[in-house]
Amino acid sequence: MLDIVIKGGTVVDGSGAPAFVADVAVRDGRIVAVGSVTEEAARTIDATGLLVTPGWVDVHTHYDGQVTWDDTMESSAEHGVTTLVMGNCGVGFAPVHPSDTDALIDLMEGVEDIPGSALSVGMPWGTWESFAEYLDVIDAREYALDVAAHIAHGPVRFYVMGERGAANEDATADDIAAMSAIVEDALRAGAVGFSTSRTIGHRAKSGRPVPGTYAAEDELLALGDALRRAGHGVFEAIVAGTIGALDGLGGERATPIEELPLLDAVSKASGRPVTFTTAQLFEDPDHWRLILDASAEANAAGAQLRPQVIPRSVTIMTSLDTYHLFMDRPTYLELAHLPLAERVAELRRPEIREAILGEADPTEAPTDFSRAIVKVFIPALPLTFSLAEPVQYEPRMEDSVWAQALAQGKDPVEHMYDLLLEDDGTAFYALLGSNYVGGNLDACREMLLHPDTVTGLGDAGAHVTLISDCSASTFHLTHWARDRTAGERLPVELLVRKLSGANAELYGFADRGTVEVGKRADLNVIDLERLTIKSPELRHDLPTGAARIMQGAEGYVATLVNGVVTRDHDQDTGARPGRLARGTAVPAEPVAAG
């Protein structure tokens, strides 16, 4: 008997081929038939009128701490993700000397806005030192989906070089050799790649850029060579200029297009794919096209460059209980400790409102990315929009906070103050910056159509009170396949391939990513007509009660991981078939005798 048969669904198989109606049969965690299935099954899922797709492969997450205490992997699991890759952007938690855990917490808290208290209390520090030992800790756990990990440049450099590495001093030949050996060992233990950050926007909570930010070419080529020796893995990078010139933090040393020759050299020398963040920026709205053109040219000459894009603007969120433009003003700081309901009551008092609106923001330069973002909340009001349902990620410019204030004859800053108090202080708004030049997502459509791009950048598990783009996977379908009215849509077959088959191929996950006989039964059954991204909410469910923004979805009729139903009509079933997904290395090169 079959374990599960999914009957009569419209199969979008992840290959990019046209959709077709078929049954999908599952036994022992594998797809055993796609077509007309008559064999009996322990469970039948009626998929008439529904989509049947592979599970999503999310290649850009930051669950490196959360995987050590959590097994649900929300919000990723809520959005159809069945395999995720963490350890991006050059930050992670291994290798680590026992005395250096605080430094890695400081790094992750600053770069990814994950509360240091949660990481300190929630993680079982002392149970690993090497990256292989860290993977073993993960391997002993069970999850709602599969997890895979990069080894990150920051901890590797700090482990080898100590304070010199943290201060971004140049690495010696011995330093480089030691780092390269550690990366190779991690890849042989199951790491699926290596990640690095080269933007000064990524800083530890203490203010210093990530170790490796200024690494020289010989260091990066040697780390790429570890991938060549291991015979597998992806080189992931956040290049200088990715999030703008960052003059407020001292200014980037290069633009993304100036970093392309280095990525080209790493890919050709290592023989491995290089994926890197690519977005449209207001400072240079057509720069992304230079990146895609240069990548295509390099690929034609033997490189494997895979610009990584997101299907919408990065949604930088603001609410009264997270980051907002009044949070550093003296009168607000006197009230910041109050519970939300009491704070709202105080902020509604006319004298408090007048005092806060009359105060200036501090002039000190920000030390990390999140605090830098707060500085732009006022000039960004023309690009700030409500996230109330139905959530709009390609809204009309006349719906912005700025435009609405002017239409009502109000000062936009005063209007923002009042809006933050709506819904008893739980209302969320979002600054739409990257990819939204011109007030539309035309650039995203062009990026998604490009054959060299991969889709990612949801940053699930990170920026927990500033950004929540985990829903970007669902957005591919709700917006680009179904709802868009501001311009042309995209074929569902292309979107499903970007979410599944293409990302699985990038990371060498040969057993998943498509709906075909013999592949793992990682599957989604989706009611596209009903598929919806919910409004964000703040939950205090991290260790120590720390908060995070969560944003779920409705319309996932079922999600299967390794043939087990983990989500049933948008509800967690409690099943935990997910495991560590290890990369597979080639046999080590023999050491010459003598």
Side-chain angles (χ1 to χ4, degrees):
M1 180 179 287
L2 298 170
D3 296 327
I4 297 172
V5 61
I6 303 169
K7 295 288 290 184
T10 299
V11 177
V12 186
D13 68 7
S15 71
F20 57 94
V21 176
D23 306 329
V24 178
V26 175
R27 182 189 288 120
D28 297 331
R30 297 282 167 172
I31 298 169
V32 295
V34 180
S36 178
V37 177
T38 58
E39 188 175 350
E40 291 187 9
R43 178 176 178 181
T44 298
I45 299 174
D46 182 4
T48 305
L50 309 179
L51 298 182
V52 180
T53 74
W56 311 144
V57 179
D58 187 347
V59 299
H60 196 110
T61 79
H62 291 279
Y63 286 114
D64 309 72
Q66 192 171 327
V67 291
T68 67
W69 72 70
D70 184 27
D71 60 3
T72 62
M73 296 294 104
E74 292 180 340
S75 292
S76 291
E78 296 175 86
H79 289 279
V81 175
T82 56
T83 302
L84 62 82
V85 179
M86 57 190 185
N88 288 280
C89 303
V91 289
F93 294 116
V96 57
H97 294 293
S99 60
D100 290 339
T101 57
D102 287 348
L104 295 193
I105 292 172
D106 177 60
L107 188 61
M108 188 68 78
E109 185 175 17
V111 174
E112 302 301 344
D113 189 36
I114 301 171
S117 58
L119 297 173
S120 179
V121 172
M123 297 181 67
W125 295 105
T127 57
W128 71 84
E129 179 170 337
S130 70
F131 195 84
E133 290 167 340
Y134 172 71
L135 290 183
D136 288 342
V137 170
I138 299 170
D139 205 11
R141 295 178 55 82
E142 301 176 349
Y143 305 98
L145 45 71
D146 272 16
V147 300
H150 296 113
I151 182 169
H153 198 176
V156 170
R157 205 172 203 267
F158 190 57
Y159 186 83
V160 170
M161 298 175 61
E163 177 57 27
R164 292 186 299 114
N168 274 293
E169 295 181 14
D170 289 342
T172 67
D174 288 344
D175 294 331
I176 292 172
M179 286 188 280
S180 185
I182 287 172
V183 171
E184 182 182 357
D185 287 346
L187 291 162
R188 295 193 179 282
V192 296
F194 167 83
S195 74
T196 190
S197 173
R198 297 177 57 75
T199 172
I200 60 170
H202 281 167
R203 297 185 174 215
K205 193 69 175 178
S206 57
R208 294 200 293 189
V210 174
T213 299
Y214 302 102
E217 182 173 352
D218 60 343
E219 181 175 338
L220 293 174
L221 287 173
L223 294 168
D225 193 61
L227 278 71
R228 180 195 63 79
R229 298 193 304 272
H232 82 105
V234 174
F235 190 105
E236 186 268 343
I238 309 294
V239 298
T242 295
I243 51 181
L246 300 180
D247 292 333
L249 293 176
E252 291 276 38
R253 68 192 181 284
T255 63
I257 194 64
E258 292 169 339
E259 296 270 75
L260 256 290
L262 174 59
L263 302 182
D264 182 16
V266 169
S267 180
K268 288 176 179 173
S270 67
R272 303 305 309 162
V274 174
T275 186
F276 54 99
T277 301
T278 303
Q280 181 191 42
L281 301 174
F282 276 85
E283 298 166 359
D284 189 352
D286 290 322
H287 195 91
W288 61 274
R289 285 198 177 93
L290 300 178
I291 299 298
L292 297 192
D293 290 346
S295 296
E297 184 177 346
N299 291 343
Q304 299 177 63
L305 300 186
R306 299 289 181 262
Q308 190 171 139
V309 303
I310 189 169
R312 66 189 193 204
S313 176
V314 173
T315 49
I316 298 170
M317 296 190 180
T318 179
S319 77
L320 194 60
D321 233 9
T322 57
Y323 290 91
H324 56 84
L325 63 89
F326 307 105
M327 63 188 298
D328 293 324
R329 297 190 178 185
T331 300
Y332 181 83
L333 288 172
E334 294 175 4
L335 307 172
H337 68 284
L338 294 175
L340 181 61
E342 296 179 31
R343 206 178 335 138
V344 169
E346 287 294 306
L347 293 170
R348 283 176 173 158
R349 292 170 54 196
E351 62 272 26
I352 296 295
R353 182 180 186 274
E354 182 179 357
I356 292 175
L357 290 172
E359 293 169 347
D361 295 310
T363 58
E364 295 84 1
T367 59
D368 60 54
F369 174 73
S370 298
R371 304 306 293 191
I373 288 295
V374 173
K375 294 285 189 182
V376 305
F377 275 159
I378 289 179
L381 287 175
L383 290 165
T384 301
F385 301 87
S386 171
L387 288 176
E389 292 183 22
V391 182
Q392 298 292 329
Y393 288 100
E394 194 173 17
R396 303 173 305 169
M397 295 299 288
E398 55 262 39
D399 293 330
S400 73
V401 169
W402 179 276
Q404 287 185 338
L406 296 184
Q408 297 173 32
K410 294 179 65 175
D411 176 82
V413 175
E414 293 182 9
H415 188 47
M416 188 75 250
Y417 183 101
D418 296 334
L419 291 175
L420 289 171
L421 298 179
E422 289 190 344
D423 298 329
D424 295 323
T426 63
F428 273 89
Y429 290 79
L431 157 60
L432 304 182
S434 60
N435 295 340
Y436 209 68
V437 178
N440 61 60
L441 295 177
D442 288 349
C444 288
R445 185 177 186 277
E446 200 171 328
M447 291 180 201
L448 287 167
L449 282 168
H450 196 282
D452 291 332
T453 63
V454 295
T455 189
L457 305 181
D459 263 354
H463 304 293
V464 295
T465 55
L466 183 67
I467 298 171
S468 182
D469 280 328
C470 189
S471 64
S473 54
T474 299
F475 180 81
H476 283 79
L477 301 186
T478 56
H479 187 77
W480 289 109
R482 188 191 67 194
D483 291 342
R484 192 180 194 224
T485 59
E488 293 182 84
R489 299 173 188 171
L490 289 168
V492 68
E493 293 88 350
L494 168 71
L495 298 165
V496 169
R497 172 158 176 76
K498 288 282 188 180
L499 284 164
S500 55
N503 283 348
E505 290 169 11
L506 174 67
Y507 276 85
F509 297 142
D511 62 344
R512 67 197 73 190
T514 54
V515 181
E516 59 182 305
V517 173
K519 291 293 182 76
R520 273 174 55 114
D522 290 353
L523 299 164
N524 283 316
V525 181
I526 302 169
D527 186 343
L528 183 58
E529 290 186 5
R530 196 173 60 85
L531 192 63
T532 305
I533 297 172
K534 296 180 180 180
S535 290
E537 61 174 320
L538 198 67
R539 295 186 199 168
H540 293 266
D541 61 354
L542 292 177
T544 72
R548 58 175 175 159
I549 299 170
M550 301 292 281
Q551 193 170 13
E554 292 181 351
Y556 286 95
V557 175
T559 297
L560 283 70
V561 174
N562 201 23
V564 177
V565 177
T566 57
R567 307 281 304 184
D568 192 342
H569 290 86
D570 305 307
Q571 299 300 312
D572 178 22
T573 66
R576 298 293 179 260
R579 300 292 187 271
L580 173 69
R582 294 182 188 261
T584 303
V586 300
E589 297 175 357
V591 177

